[in-house]
Amino acid sequence: MNIVSLVLRIRPETRAEAEAALAAYPGVECHGMSDDGKLVVTVEDADGAAMSDTLIALHRVPQVLAATLAYEHCDAMLDDVPTSDAPFSNQAQALKSPCEDAQS
């Protein structure tokens, strides 16, 4: 399972149109919006729809002024986590950072 959370900036008066347009995409769910137009949206993998294509499409919705990725979860990342015998006190530390590769 892959899931991302976005904060979309929209004009508050366009909320109904924006939510209708966004919810039309597979795997997209609108959650809540602040008074100043920050709309929280999640996108999950959907059959026949690449998440990357959906994210690009959300940027193109006319009511969306800006989009910020707030969270990303990918189950595939968990496959690389060492077992509890690893010399790490926290399994999250066991994931290798791309920055470490760049410094090598």
Side-chain angles (χ1 to χ4, degrees), residues 5-9 41 59 66-71:
S5 176
L6 303 167
V7 177
L8 303 180
R9 185 67 177 212
V41 174
H59 281 84
T68 303
L69 179 67
Y71 177 81

Side-chain angles (χ1 to χ4, degrees), residues 68-92:
T68 303
L69 179 67
Y71 177 81
E72 178 181 13
H73 171 80
C74 178
D75 282 345
M77 291 175 60
L78 298 178
D79 294 338
D80 295 333
V81 175
T83 63
S84 60
D85 295 336
F88 296 97
S89 60
N90 181 341
Q91 284 188 339

Side-chain angles (χ1 to χ4, degrees), residues 4-90:
V4 298
S5 176
L6 303 167
V7 177
L8 303 180
R9 185 67 177 212
I10 65 170
R11 286 188 195 82
E13 64 273 12
T14 66
R15 180 178 183 172
E17 299 89 31
E19 287 185 352
L22 296 166
Y25 291 97
V28 176
E29 187 174 336
C30 300
H31 297 281
M33 190 176 92
S34 65
D35 292 338
D36 63 349
K38 294 176 189 166
L39 178 65
V40 176
V41 174
T42 54
V43 182
E44 292 186 56
D45 279 338
D47 290 335
M51 183 178 292
S52 58
D53 292 340
T54 302
L55 294 176
I56 291 168
L58 297 183
H59 281 84
R60 294 182 178 154
V61 170
Q63 295 82 9
V64 174
L65 305 174
T68 303
L69 179 67
Y71 177 81
E72 178 181 13
H73 171 80
C74 178
D75 282 345
M77 291 175 60
L78 298 178
D79 294 338
D80 295 333
V81 175
T83 63
S84 60
D85 295 336
F88 296 97
S89 60
N90 181 341

